[in-house]
Amino acid sequence: MKVLVLNGPNLNRLGKRQPEVYGSTTLADVVGRIEARAEALGVEVECRQSNHEGDLIDWSHEAADNSWAVVINPGGFTHTSVALRDALAEVADGPGFVEVHISNVHAREEFRHHSYLSPIALGVIAGLGVDGYELALQFFARRNNGNG
Ligand code: DHK
C-alpha cells in the first residue's frame, strides 16, 4: 500500500516557527522519521509539502486516482478550506485520510477548534507533536494487514 503524507502551509518552517508550539524538529527531520517508520512497517510512503492550496488539492486528486491513503496536516487550511475538503472527499471514498495536527488545536484559539476536514477523516490526531505522523502511518499499516 502507498501513503501520501501531505503538509500544508507554513509547515516548511518547522523548527523555526513558534518552537514553543510546534517543537524544534525541522520538516526534513520529520520526513526522515516518517520514511524510516514506513520502511519498518513495510509501507510505501511519499512526503510532500506546499504553501499553496491548489497543490494540496491536486495531490489529493492524485491520491484518489491512485487509491493512495493520505496523512495530511493541512495547516491553516484546516480551518478555512471547503475546496480542500471537497478534494479529500474523493480520498475518503477510497482508502481514506487521517488529519494530523502537531499542536492541540482544541487548547488554542477558538478559530482553530473547527476543521472542515475532520467530519470526513478516518480519524484526527492532535497535540502529540510530530509523532502524530508516524502514528497515522502505523494506523494505515495495521488496517491494511487486517489488524486495525
Ligand atoms: C498547524 C498550523 O499551521 C495551524 O494553522 C493549525 C497545525 C495547527 C498544527 O498543529 O500542526 O491551526
Side-chain angles (χ1 to χ4, degrees), residues 57-73:
I57 290 169
D58 289 344
W59 294 339
S60 298
H61 295 162
E62 191 182 338
D65 286 344
N66 289 288
S67 295
W68 298 335
V70 172
V71 172
I72 184 165
N73 183 343

Side-chain angles (χ1 to χ4, degrees), residues 80-103:
T80 63
S81 183
V82 173
L84 183 57
R85 176 193 168 124
D86 289 346
L88 284 167
E90 280 197 70
V91 177
D93 286 340
F97 72 94
V98 172
E99 179 182 338
V100 171
H101 302 287
I102 296 166
S103 66

